[in-house]
Short mmCIF file of all heavy atoms in Angstrom, two decimals:
data_model
loop_
_atom_site.label_atom_id
_atom_site.label_comp_id
_atom_site.label_asym_id
_atom_site.label_seq_id
_atom_site.Cartn_x
_atom_site.Cartn_y
_atom_site.Cartn_z
N PRO M 1221 -113.65 30.83 148.07
CA PRO M 1221 -114.05 29.78 147.14
C PRO M 1221 -114.66 30.35 145.88
O PRO M 1221 -115.22 31.45 145.90
CB PRO M 1221 -115.10 29.00 147.93
CG PRO M 1221 -115.64 29.96 148.92
CD PRO M 1221 -114.51 30.92 149.25
N SER M 1222 -114.54 29.61 144.81
CA SER M 1222 -115.22 29.99 143.58
C SER M 1222 -116.67 29.54 143.68
O SER M 1222 -116.96 28.39 143.93
CB SER M 1222 -114.54 29.31 142.39
OG SER M 1222 -115.34 29.51 141.24
N LEU M 1223 -117.58 30.47 143.49
CA LEU M 1223 -119.00 30.13 143.57
C LEU M 1223 -119.60 30.14 142.18
O LEU M 1223 -120.68 30.64 141.95
CB LEU M 1223 -119.71 31.11 144.50
CG LEU M 1223 -119.11 31.17 145.91
CD1 LEU M 1223 -119.72 32.28 146.73
CD2 LEU M 1223 -119.26 29.84 146.61
N GLY M 1224 -118.84 29.60 141.25
CA GLY M 1224 -119.27 29.58 139.85
C GLY M 1224 -118.11 30.01 138.99
O GLY M 1224 -117.27 30.81 139.41
N ALA M 1225 -118.08 29.48 137.77
CA ALA M 1225 -116.97 29.77 136.87
C ALA M 1225 -116.89 31.26 136.56
O ALA M 1225 -115.88 31.77 136.13
CB ALA M 1225 -117.15 28.98 135.57
N ASP M 1226 -118.00 31.95 136.79
CA ASP M 1226 -118.08 33.36 136.43
C ASP M 1226 -117.58 34.28 137.55
O ASP M 1226 -117.51 35.48 137.39
CB ASP M 1226 -119.54 33.71 136.11
CG ASP M 1226 -120.50 33.08 137.11
OD1 ASP M 1226 -120.05 32.51 138.11
OD2 ASP M 1226 -121.71 33.17 136.88
N MET M 1227 -117.23 33.72 138.69
CA MET M 1227 -116.87 34.57 139.82
C MET M 1227 -115.39 34.89 139.86
O MET M 1227 -114.55 34.01 139.71
CB MET M 1227 -117.28 33.88 141.12
CG MET M 1227 -116.80 34.61 142.36
SD MET M 1227 -117.56 33.90 143.83
CE MET M 1227 -116.38 34.42 145.09
N GLU M 1228 -115.06 36.16 140.05
CA GLU M 1228 -113.66 36.55 140.13
C GLU M 1228 -113.24 36.97 141.53
O GLU M 1228 -112.09 36.84 141.92
CB GLU M 1228 -113.40 37.71 139.16
CG GLU M 1228 -113.41 37.25 137.71
CD GLU M 1228 -113.58 38.39 136.74
OE1 GLU M 1228 -113.98 39.49 137.15
OE2 GLU M 1228 -113.31 38.16 135.55
N ALA M 1229 -114.17 37.53 142.27
CA ALA M 1229 -113.83 38.01 143.60
C ALA M 1229 -115.08 37.99 144.47
O ALA M 1229 -116.20 37.95 143.96
CB ALA M 1229 -113.28 39.44 143.53
N GLY M 1230 -114.87 38.00 145.76
CA GLY M 1230 -115.99 38.05 146.69
C GLY M 1230 -115.59 38.88 147.90
O GLY M 1230 -114.41 39.01 148.21
N LYS M 1231 -116.61 39.42 148.57
CA LYS M 1231 -116.33 40.25 149.73
C LYS M 1231 -116.78 39.53 150.99
O LYS M 1231 -117.93 39.10 151.10
CB LYS M 1231 -117.08 41.58 149.59
CG LYS M 1231 -116.94 42.49 150.80
CD LYS M 1231 -117.70 43.77 150.55
CE LYS M 1231 -118.01 44.48 151.85
NZ LYS M 1231 -118.91 45.61 151.60
N LEU M 1232 -115.86 39.40 151.94
CA LEU M 1232 -116.20 38.77 153.22
C LEU M 1232 -117.06 39.74 154.02
O LEU M 1232 -116.65 40.87 154.28
CB LEU M 1232 -114.92 38.45 153.99
CG LEU M 1232 -115.14 37.83 155.37
CD1 LEU M 1232 -115.72 36.43 155.24
CD2 LEU M 1232 -113.85 37.80 156.16
N VAL M 1233 -118.27 39.32 154.40
CA VAL M 1233 -119.13 40.23 155.17
C VAL M 1233 -119.37 39.76 156.60
O VAL M 1233 -119.83 40.53 157.43
CB VAL M 1233 -120.50 40.46 154.48
CG1 VAL M 1233 -120.31 41.26 153.19
CG2 VAL M 1233 -121.23 39.18 154.19
N GLU M 1234 -119.04 38.52 156.90
CA GLU M 1234 -119.26 38.05 158.27
C GLU M 1234 -118.46 36.78 158.54
O GLU M 1234 -118.39 35.89 157.70
CB GLU M 1234 -120.76 37.77 158.47
CG GLU M 1234 -121.16 37.52 159.90
CD GLU M 1234 -122.68 37.29 160.05
OE1 GLU M 1234 -123.42 37.50 159.07
OE2 GLU M 1234 -123.08 36.87 161.15
N TRP M 1235 -117.86 36.72 159.72
CA TRP M 1235 -117.27 35.47 160.20
C TRP M 1235 -118.25 34.82 161.16
O TRP M 1235 -118.79 35.50 162.04
CB TRP M 1235 -115.96 35.74 160.94
CG TRP M 1235 -114.75 35.81 160.07
CD1 TRP M 1235 -113.91 36.87 159.90
CD2 TRP M 1235 -114.21 34.76 159.26
NE1 TRP M 1235 -112.89 36.56 159.03
CE2 TRP M 1235 -113.05 35.26 158.63
CE3 TRP M 1235 -114.60 33.44 159.00
CZ2 TRP M 1235 -112.30 34.49 157.75
CZ3 TRP M 1235 -113.85 32.68 158.13
CH2 TRP M 1235 -112.70 33.20 157.51
N LEU M 1236 -118.47 33.53 161.04
CA LEU M 1236 -119.35 32.82 161.97
C LEU M 1236 -118.55 31.89 162.88
O LEU M 1236 -119.12 31.14 163.66
CB LEU M 1236 -120.42 32.04 161.20
CG LEU M 1236 -121.32 32.94 160.31
CD1 LEU M 1236 -122.20 32.11 159.40
CD2 LEU M 1236 -122.17 33.86 161.17
N VAL M 1237 -117.23 31.93 162.74
CA VAL M 1237 -116.36 31.14 163.62
C VAL M 1237 -115.26 32.06 164.13
O VAL M 1237 -115.04 33.15 163.59
CB VAL M 1237 -115.71 29.95 162.88
CG1 VAL M 1237 -116.74 28.89 162.55
CG2 VAL M 1237 -114.99 30.41 161.62
N LYS M 1238 -114.56 31.59 165.16
CA LYS M 1238 -113.41 32.33 165.67
C LYS M 1238 -112.26 31.36 165.89
O LYS M 1238 -112.47 30.13 165.93
CB LYS M 1238 -113.78 33.06 166.96
CG LYS M 1238 -114.36 32.15 168.03
CD LYS M 1238 -114.83 32.95 169.24
CE LYS M 1238 -115.22 32.05 170.40
NZ LYS M 1238 -116.12 30.94 170.06
N PRO M 1239 -111.04 31.87 166.02
CA PRO M 1239 -109.91 30.97 166.20
C PRO M 1239 -110.14 30.04 167.39
O PRO M 1239 -110.64 30.47 168.43
CB PRO M 1239 -108.74 31.92 166.46
CG PRO M 1239 -109.13 33.18 165.76
CD PRO M 1239 -110.62 33.27 165.92
N GLY M 1240 -109.78 28.77 167.21
CA GLY M 1240 -109.97 27.79 168.27
C GLY M 1240 -111.22 26.95 168.08
O GLY M 1240 -111.35 25.89 168.67
N ASP M 1241 -112.17 27.43 167.26
CA ASP M 1241 -113.40 26.68 167.05
C ASP M 1241 -113.13 25.38 166.29
O ASP M 1241 -112.36 25.36 165.33
CB ASP M 1241 -114.41 27.51 166.23
CG ASP M 1241 -115.07 28.60 167.06
OD1 ASP M 1241 -114.77 28.68 168.28
OD2 ASP M 1241 -115.87 29.37 166.50
N GLN M 1242 -113.77 24.32 166.76
CA GLN M 1242 -113.73 23.06 166.00
C GLN M 1242 -114.82 23.13 164.94
O GLN M 1242 -115.93 23.57 165.22
CB GLN M 1242 -114.03 21.87 166.94
CG GLN M 1242 -112.96 21.62 167.99
CD GLN M 1242 -111.69 21.03 167.40
OE1 GLN M 1242 -111.70 20.51 166.29
NE2 GLN M 1242 -110.59 21.13 168.14
N VAL M 1243 -114.49 22.69 163.75
CA VAL M 1243 -115.50 22.69 162.69
C VAL M 1243 -115.54 21.33 162.04
O VAL M 1243 -114.56 20.60 162.05
CB VAL M 1243 -115.21 23.77 161.61
CG1 VAL M 1243 -115.39 25.15 162.18
CG2 VAL M 1243 -113.82 23.60 161.03
N LYS M 1244 -116.70 20.99 161.51
CA LYS M 1244 -116.80 19.76 160.73
C LYS M 1244 -117.26 20.11 159.32
O LYS M 1244 -117.78 21.21 159.08
CB LYS M 1244 -117.74 18.76 161.40
CG LYS M 1244 -119.15 19.27 161.62
CD LYS M 1244 -119.95 18.20 162.35
CE LYS M 1244 -121.44 18.52 162.34
NZ LYS M 1244 -121.78 19.83 162.95
N LYS M 1245 -117.01 19.17 158.42
CA LYS M 1245 -117.35 19.39 157.02
C LYS M 1245 -118.81 19.83 156.89
O LYS M 1245 -119.69 19.22 157.49
CB LYS M 1245 -117.13 18.09 156.24
CG LYS M 1245 -117.32 18.20 154.75
CD LYS M 1245 -116.88 16.90 154.08
CE LYS M 1245 -116.87 17.00 152.57
NZ LYS M 1245 -118.15 16.86 151.92
N GLY M 1246 -119.02 20.91 156.14
CA GLY M 1246 -120.39 21.37 155.91
C GLY M 1246 -120.83 22.48 156.86
O GLY M 1246 -121.88 23.09 156.65
N ASP M 1247 -120.05 22.75 157.92
CA ASP M 1247 -120.41 23.87 158.81
C ASP M 1247 -120.32 25.18 158.05
O ASP M 1247 -119.40 25.40 157.26
CB ASP M 1247 -119.45 23.93 160.01
CG ASP M 1247 -119.77 22.87 161.05
OD1 ASP M 1247 -120.79 22.17 160.88
OD2 ASP M 1247 -118.99 22.74 162.02
N VAL M 1248 -121.24 26.08 158.35
CA VAL M 1248 -121.17 27.41 157.75
C VAL M 1248 -120.20 28.24 158.58
O VAL M 1248 -120.38 28.39 159.79
CB VAL M 1248 -122.56 28.07 157.72
CG1 VAL M 1248 -122.45 29.50 157.22
CG2 VAL M 1248 -123.49 27.28 156.82
N VAL M 1249 -119.15 28.74 157.95
CA VAL M 1249 -118.11 29.44 158.70
C VAL M 1249 -118.07 30.93 158.40
O VAL M 1249 -117.56 31.72 159.18
CB VAL M 1249 -116.71 28.83 158.44
CG1 VAL M 1249 -116.67 27.40 158.96
CG2 VAL M 1249 -116.35 28.88 156.97
N ALA M 1250 -118.60 31.34 157.26
CA ALA M 1250 -118.49 32.74 156.88
C ALA M 1250 -119.59 33.10 155.89
O ALA M 1250 -120.25 32.21 155.34
CB ALA M 1250 -117.13 33.01 156.25
N VAL M 1251 -119.79 34.39 155.70
CA VAL M 1251 -120.73 34.85 154.69
C VAL M 1251 -119.96 35.74 153.72
O VAL M 1251 -119.20 36.62 154.13
CB VAL M 1251 -121.89 35.65 155.32
CG1 VAL M 1251 -122.82 36.16 154.24
CG2 VAL M 1251 -122.63 34.78 156.32
N VAL M 1252 -120.14 35.45 152.44
CA VAL M 1252 -119.42 36.18 151.40
C VAL M 1252 -120.44 36.81 150.46
O VAL M 1252 -121.43 36.18 150.09
CB VAL M 1252 -118.49 35.22 150.63
CG1 VAL M 1252 -118.02 35.83 149.34
CG2 VAL M 1252 -117.31 34.83 151.51
N GLU M 1253 -120.19 38.05 150.10
CA GLU M 1253 -121.08 38.72 149.16
C GLU M 1253 -120.53 38.56 147.76
O GLU M 1253 -119.36 38.81 147.51
CB GLU M 1253 -121.09 40.20 149.52
CG GLU M 1253 -122.27 40.95 149.04
CD GLU M 1253 -122.23 42.33 149.68
OE1 GLU M 1253 -121.56 43.21 149.12
OE2 GLU M 1253 -122.81 42.48 150.75
N THR M 1254 -121.38 38.08 146.87
CA THR M 1254 -120.94 37.81 145.50
C THR M 1254 -121.93 38.41 144.53
O THR M 1254 -122.89 39.06 144.91
CB THR M 1254 -120.90 36.29 145.24
OG1 THR M 1254 -122.25 35.81 145.17
CG2 THR M 1254 -120.19 35.56 146.36
N GLN M 1255 -121.70 38.10 143.26
CA GLN M 1255 -122.65 38.52 142.22
C GLN M 1255 -124.01 37.90 142.45
O GLN M 1255 -125.00 38.36 141.90
CB GLN M 1255 -122.12 38.08 140.85
CG GLN M 1255 -120.85 38.79 140.44
CD GLN M 1255 -120.16 38.07 139.30
OE1 GLN M 1255 -120.09 36.86 139.27
NE2 GLN M 1255 -119.63 38.84 138.36
N LYS M 1256 -124.07 36.81 143.23
CA LYS M 1256 -125.35 36.15 143.48
C LYS M 1256 -125.91 36.53 144.84
O LYS M 1256 -126.77 35.86 145.37
CB LYS M 1256 -125.16 34.64 143.39
CG LYS M 1256 -124.71 34.16 142.02
CD LYS M 1256 -124.58 32.66 141.98
CE LYS M 1256 -124.34 32.15 140.56
NZ LYS M 1256 -122.95 32.19 140.15
N GLY M 1257 -125.44 37.60 145.42
CA GLY M 1257 -125.91 38.01 146.73
C GLY M 1257 -125.04 37.42 147.83
O GLY M 1257 -123.96 36.91 147.57
N ALA M 1258 -125.53 37.52 149.07
CA ALA M 1258 -124.76 37.00 150.21
C ALA M 1258 -124.87 35.48 150.25
O ALA M 1258 -125.96 34.94 150.22
CB ALA M 1258 -125.27 37.61 151.50
N ILE M 1259 -123.74 34.82 150.29
CA ILE M 1259 -123.72 33.35 150.26
C ILE M 1259 -123.04 32.83 151.53
O ILE M 1259 -121.99 33.33 151.93
CB ILE M 1259 -122.92 32.85 149.03
CG1 ILE M 1259 -123.52 33.41 147.73
CG2 ILE M 1259 -122.86 31.33 149.02
CD1 ILE M 1259 -124.90 32.92 147.40
N GLU M 1260 -123.65 31.83 152.14
CA GLU M 1260 -123.04 31.20 153.31
C GLU M 1260 -121.98 30.21 152.83
O GLU M 1260 -122.24 29.37 151.98
CB GLU M 1260 -124.11 30.45 154.12
CG GLU M 1260 -125.12 31.39 154.75
CD GLU M 1260 -126.14 30.67 155.61
OE1 GLU M 1260 -126.27 29.43 155.46
OE2 GLU M 1260 -126.78 31.34 156.43
N ILE M 1261 -120.79 30.33 153.41
CA ILE M 1261 -119.69 29.47 152.99
C ILE M 1261 -119.55 28.30 153.96
O ILE M 1261 -119.35 28.49 155.16
CB ILE M 1261 -118.36 30.27 152.96
CG1 ILE M 1261 -118.51 31.48 152.03
CG2 ILE M 1261 -117.22 29.37 152.52
CD1 ILE M 1261 -118.85 31.12 150.60
N GLU M 1262 -119.64 27.09 153.41
CA GLU M 1262 -119.48 25.90 154.22
C GLU M 1262 -118.04 25.44 154.12
O GLU M 1262 -117.42 25.53 153.06
CB GLU M 1262 -120.39 24.79 153.69
CG GLU M 1262 -121.86 25.15 153.72
CD GLU M 1262 -122.65 24.41 152.64
OE1 GLU M 1262 -122.43 24.73 151.46
OE2 GLU M 1262 -123.44 23.53 152.99
N ILE M 1263 -117.52 24.92 155.23
CA ILE M 1263 -116.14 24.46 155.20
C ILE M 1263 -116.10 23.06 154.59
O ILE M 1263 -117.06 22.30 154.71
CB ILE M 1263 -115.49 24.51 156.59
CG1 ILE M 1263 -113.98 24.53 156.48
CG2 ILE M 1263 -115.99 23.38 157.47
CD1 ILE M 1263 -113.32 25.32 157.57
N PHE M 1264 -115.00 22.75 153.91
CA PHE M 1264 -114.95 21.52 153.11
C PHE M 1264 -114.27 20.38 153.83
O PHE M 1264 -114.19 19.28 153.31
CB PHE M 1264 -114.27 21.80 151.78
CG PHE M 1264 -113.01 22.63 151.91
CD1 PHE M 1264 -111.84 22.03 152.33
CD2 PHE M 1264 -113.04 23.99 151.66
CE1 PHE M 1264 -110.70 22.80 152.49
CE2 PHE M 1264 -111.90 24.76 151.81
CZ PHE M 1264 -110.72 24.16 152.23
N GLN M 1265 -113.70 20.64 155.00
CA GLN M 1265 -113.12 19.53 155.75
C GLN M 1265 -113.09 19.86 157.23
O GLN M 1265 -113.16 21.02 157.62
CB GLN M 1265 -111.72 19.23 155.24
CG GLN M 1265 -110.73 20.36 155.42
CD GLN M 1265 -109.35 19.94 154.97
OE1 GLN M 1265 -109.18 19.53 153.84
NE2 GLN M 1265 -108.38 20.01 155.86
N PRO M 1266 -113.00 18.84 158.08
CA PRO M 1266 -113.02 19.10 159.51
C PRO M 1266 -111.68 19.61 160.00
O PRO M 1266 -110.66 19.48 159.33
CB PRO M 1266 -113.33 17.71 160.10
CG PRO M 1266 -112.81 16.75 159.09
CD PRO M 1266 -112.94 17.41 157.75
N GLY M 1267 -111.68 20.19 161.19
CA GLY M 1267 -110.44 20.67 161.77
C GLY M 1267 -110.72 21.75 162.79
O GLY M 1267 -111.83 21.87 163.29
N ARG M 1268 -109.68 22.52 163.09
CA ARG M 1268 -109.85 23.61 164.03
C ARG M 1268 -109.39 24.91 163.37
O ARG M 1268 -108.37 24.95 162.70
CB ARG M 1268 -109.02 23.36 165.30
CG ARG M 1268 -109.43 24.29 166.44
CD ARG M 1268 -108.54 24.11 167.66
NE ARG M 1268 -107.18 24.55 167.36
CZ ARG M 1268 -106.09 23.90 167.74
NH1 ARG M 1268 -106.18 22.77 168.41
NH2 ARG M 1268 -104.89 24.38 167.44
N ILE M 1269 -110.17 25.96 163.56
CA ILE M 1269 -109.81 27.26 163.00
C ILE M 1269 -108.57 27.76 163.74
O ILE M 1269 -108.60 27.98 164.95
CB ILE M 1269 -110.96 28.28 163.17
CG1 ILE M 1269 -112.25 27.75 162.54
CG2 ILE M 1269 -110.56 29.63 162.59
CD1 ILE M 1269 -112.22 27.59 161.05
N GLU M 1270 -107.47 27.93 163.03
CA GLU M 1270 -106.23 28.41 163.63
C GLU M 1270 -106.20 29.93 163.63
O GLU M 1270 -105.80 30.55 164.60
CB GLU M 1270 -105.03 27.90 162.82
CG GLU M 1270 -104.68 26.46 163.07
CD GLU M 1270 -104.10 26.27 164.46
OE1 GLU M 1270 -103.07 26.90 164.76
OE2 GLU M 1270 -104.70 25.51 165.25
N GLU M 1271 -106.59 30.50 162.51
CA GLU M 1271 -106.41 31.94 162.37
C GLU M 1271 -107.39 32.45 161.31
O GLU M 1271 -107.56 31.81 160.27
CB GLU M 1271 -104.96 32.19 161.90
CG GLU M 1271 -104.62 33.66 161.74
CD GLU M 1271 -103.29 33.86 160.99
OE1 GLU M 1271 -102.62 32.85 160.67
OE2 GLU M 1271 -102.95 35.02 160.71
N LEU M 1272 -108.01 33.57 161.61
CA LEU M 1272 -108.83 34.22 160.60
C LEU M 1272 -107.93 35.21 159.89
O LEU M 1272 -107.39 36.13 160.51
CB LEU M 1272 -110.03 34.94 161.23
CG LEU M 1272 -110.97 34.05 162.05
CD1 LEU M 1272 -112.13 34.88 162.60
CD2 LEU M 1272 -111.50 32.88 161.22
N ILE M 1273 -107.74 34.99 158.61
CA ILE M 1273 -106.79 35.84 157.87
C ILE M 1273 -107.51 37.02 157.23
O ILE M 1273 -107.07 38.16 157.34
CB ILE M 1273 -106.08 34.99 156.79
CG1 ILE M 1273 -105.22 33.92 157.47
CG2 ILE M 1273 -105.25 35.88 155.88
CD1 ILE M 1273 -104.71 32.86 156.55
N ALA M 1274 -108.61 36.75 156.58
CA ALA M 1274 -109.35 37.83 155.93
C ALA M 1274 -110.17 38.59 156.97
O ALA M 1274 -110.67 38.01 157.93
CB ALA M 1274 -110.26 37.25 154.86
N GLU M 1275 -110.28 39.89 156.76
CA GLU M 1275 -111.08 40.70 157.66
C GLU M 1275 -112.42 41.01 157.03
O GLU M 1275 -112.53 41.14 155.81
CB GLU M 1275 -110.35 42.01 157.96
CG GLU M 1275 -109.20 41.82 158.93
CD GLU M 1275 -108.37 43.09 159.06
OE1 GLU M 1275 -108.93 44.18 158.87
OE2 GLU M 1275 -107.17 42.95 159.34
N VAL M 1276 -113.43 41.16 157.89
CA VAL M 1276 -114.76 41.51 157.40
C VAL M 1276 -114.65 42.82 156.62
O VAL M 1276 -114.01 43.77 157.07
CB VAL M 1276 -115.74 41.65 158.59
CG1 VAL M 1276 -117.03 42.31 158.14
CG2 VAL M 1276 -116.01 40.27 159.20
N GLY M 1277 -115.24 42.84 155.44
CA GLY M 1277 -115.18 44.03 154.61
C GLY M 1277 -114.18 43.91 153.47
O GLY M 1277 -114.22 44.67 152.51
N GLN M 1278 -113.28 42.92 153.57
CA GLN M 1278 -112.29 42.75 152.51
C GLN M 1278 -112.90 42.11 151.26
O GLN M 1278 -113.71 41.20 151.36
CB GLN M 1278 -111.17 41.81 152.99
CG GLN M 1278 -110.05 42.50 153.71
CD GLN M 1278 -108.92 41.51 153.98
OE1 GLN M 1278 -108.99 40.71 154.89
NE2 GLN M 1278 -107.88 41.58 153.17
N THR M 1279 -112.48 42.59 150.11
CA THR M 1279 -112.82 41.94 148.85
C THR M 1279 -111.60 41.17 148.38
O THR M 1279 -110.52 41.73 148.28
CB THR M 1279 -113.25 42.97 147.80
OG1 THR M 1279 -114.43 43.62 148.26
CG2 THR M 1279 -113.54 42.30 146.46
N LEU M 1280 -111.80 39.86 148.15
CA LEU M 1280 -110.67 39.01 147.83
C LEU M 1280 -110.91 38.27 146.53
O LEU M 1280 -112.02 37.83 146.26
CB LEU M 1280 -110.47 37.98 148.95
CG LEU M 1280 -110.16 38.56 150.34
CD1 LEU M 1280 -110.32 37.50 151.40
CD2 LEU M 1280 -108.76 39.14 150.36
N PRO M 1281 -109.86 38.11 145.74
CA PRO M 1281 -109.99 37.32 144.51
C PRO M 1281 -110.21 35.84 144.85
O PRO M 1281 -109.78 35.38 145.92
CB PRO M 1281 -108.66 37.52 143.79
CG PRO M 1281 -107.71 37.95 144.84
CD PRO M 1281 -108.51 38.64 145.91
N VAL M 1282 -110.85 35.14 143.96
CA VAL M 1282 -111.05 33.70 144.14
C VAL M 1282 -109.70 33.02 144.34
O VAL M 1282 -108.75 33.31 143.61
CB VAL M 1282 -111.77 33.10 142.92
CG1 VAL M 1282 -111.71 31.59 142.94
CG2 VAL M 1282 -113.21 33.58 142.88
N GLY M 1283 -109.62 32.15 145.34
CA GLY M 1283 -108.37 31.46 145.61
C GLY M 1283 -107.58 32.08 146.75
O GLY M 1283 -106.69 31.44 147.32
N ALA M 1284 -107.89 33.32 147.11
CA ALA M 1284 -107.19 33.97 148.21
C ALA M 1284 -107.62 33.31 149.53
O ALA M 1284 -108.75 32.84 149.65
CB ALA M 1284 -107.51 35.45 148.24
N PRO M 1285 -106.72 33.26 150.49
CA PRO M 1285 -107.05 32.59 151.75
C PRO M 1285 -107.99 33.42 152.61
O PRO M 1285 -107.90 34.64 152.65
CB PRO M 1285 -105.70 32.48 152.44
CG PRO M 1285 -104.92 33.62 151.90
CD PRO M 1285 -105.35 33.78 150.47
N LEU M 1286 -108.90 32.74 153.29
CA LEU M 1286 -109.79 33.40 154.24
C LEU M 1286 -109.33 33.12 155.65
O LEU M 1286 -109.43 33.97 156.53
CB LEU M 1286 -111.22 32.88 154.06
CG LEU M 1286 -111.92 33.22 152.75
CD1 LEU M 1286 -113.29 32.57 152.72
CD2 LEU M 1286 -112.05 34.72 152.58
N ALA M 1287 -108.84 31.88 155.88
CA ALA M 1287 -108.47 31.49 157.23
C ALA M 1287 -107.49 30.33 157.14
O ALA M 1287 -107.32 29.72 156.09
CB ALA M 1287 -109.70 31.05 158.02
N ARG M 1288 -106.87 30.07 158.26
CA ARG M 1288 -105.97 28.92 158.33
C ARG M 1288 -106.68 27.85 159.15
O ARG M 1288 -107.17 28.12 160.25
CB ARG M 1288 -104.66 29.33 159.01
CG ARG M 1288 -103.53 28.34 158.83
CD ARG M 1288 -102.35 28.72 159.71
NE ARG M 1288 -101.89 30.09 159.48
CZ ARG M 1288 -101.00 30.42 158.53
NH1 ARG M 1288 -100.50 29.51 157.75
NH2 ARG M 1288 -100.63 31.68 158.41
#
Side-chain angles (χ1 to χ4, degrees):
Chain M
S1222 170
L1223 303 172
D1226 43 7
M1227 173 170 158
E1228 287 162 345
K1231 176 179 160 188
L1232 178 69
V1233 291
E1234 191 178 350
W1235 274 119
L1236 300 171
V1237 290
K1238 55 185 188 312
D1241 284 358
Q1242 293 287 342
V1243 292
K1244 58 183 192 302
K1245 185 172 188 279
D1247 283 355
V1248 175
V1249 296
V1251 178
V1252 165
E1253 201 171 86
T1254 71
Q1255 294 164 319
K1256 298 182 171 84
I1259 303 294
E1260 294 183 342
I1261 303 300
E1262 300 152 291
I1263 201 148
F1264 45 78
Q1265 63 176 57
R1268 194 184 66 222
I1269 304 294
E1270 282 290 301
E1271 182 192 356
L1272 302 181
I1273 295 168
E1275 285 172 28
V1276 168
Q1278 273 187 282
T1279 296
L1280 299 166
V1282 167
L1286 294 177
R1288 194 189 305 273

